[in-house]
Amino acid sequence: MEFVRPLEPILIIDDVQDIRDYLNQILTELGFEDILESRDFESAKTLIVEKSPNVIFLDIELPDTDGTEILEYLNDNYPHTYVVMCSGHNSLENVQNTWELGAKGFIAKPFNAKKVDTVMKRLELI
């Protein structure tokens, strides 16, 4: 029998409440239950330390810091956490940059349930 690494808890870091709500709703409809939210990196740090999320959906553009800086921090300090970058700017350069920095996925905004489901299924295979 093959061991599948659990994907929960899941943390959503995005400064826009509507985006967090929508992504939370999608994940809930996909069957996930342990979903955390944060509007910025400062408040996310506490959740990361206390809850050890296995998946983090991370907005590239946050008011308190750049998402790529957070990605580097997470890779250095939490290398087993899967980070999925989210952005409204899905240029090839943006996507390539996040992959090179160690993201395990990229979702362009506006996203939908199918995109989120595809990314989560891909993470289960890593």
Side-chain angles (χ1 to χ4, degrees), residues 1-7 82 120-121 123-126:
M1 187 158 136
E2 191 175 321
F3 174 75
V4 177
R5 186 168 163 235
L7 297 178
Y82 299 134
M120 295 304 285
K121 285 179 177 169
L123 293 179
E124 287 177 340
L125 300 174
I126 294 178

Side-chain angles (χ1 to χ4, degrees), residues 61-77:
E61 296 176 19
L62 292 168
D64 61 342
T65 187
D66 181 69
T68 56
E69 291 176 25
I70 299 171
L71 178 59
E72 290 175 357
Y73 168 85
L74 292 169
N75 286 336
D76 289 345
N77 296 285

Side-chain angles (χ1 to χ4, degrees), residues 65-116:
T65 187
D66 181 69
T68 56
E69 291 176 25
I70 299 171
L71 178 59
E72 290 175 357
Y73 168 85
L74 292 169
N75 286 336
D76 289 345
N77 296 285
Y78 303 91
H80 300 294
T81 301
Y82 299 134
V83 180
V84 178
M85 301 302 286
C86 305
S87 177
H89 308 287
N90 60 340
S91 68
L92 182 60
E93 180 182 335
N94 220 358
V95 175
Q96 284 179 327
N97 188 35
T98 60
W99 285 108
E100 289 170 6
L101 292 173
K104 299 298 184 214
F106 184 93
I107 297 183
K109 294 178 186 176
F111 37 75
N112 57 39
K114 185 175 180 178
K115 288 180 186 177
V116 175

Side-chain angles (χ1 to χ4, degrees), residues 4 27 29 39 42 62 82:
V4 177
L27 290 165
E29 289 172 1
R39 61 181 167 73
E42 264 320 296
L62 292 168
Y82 299 134

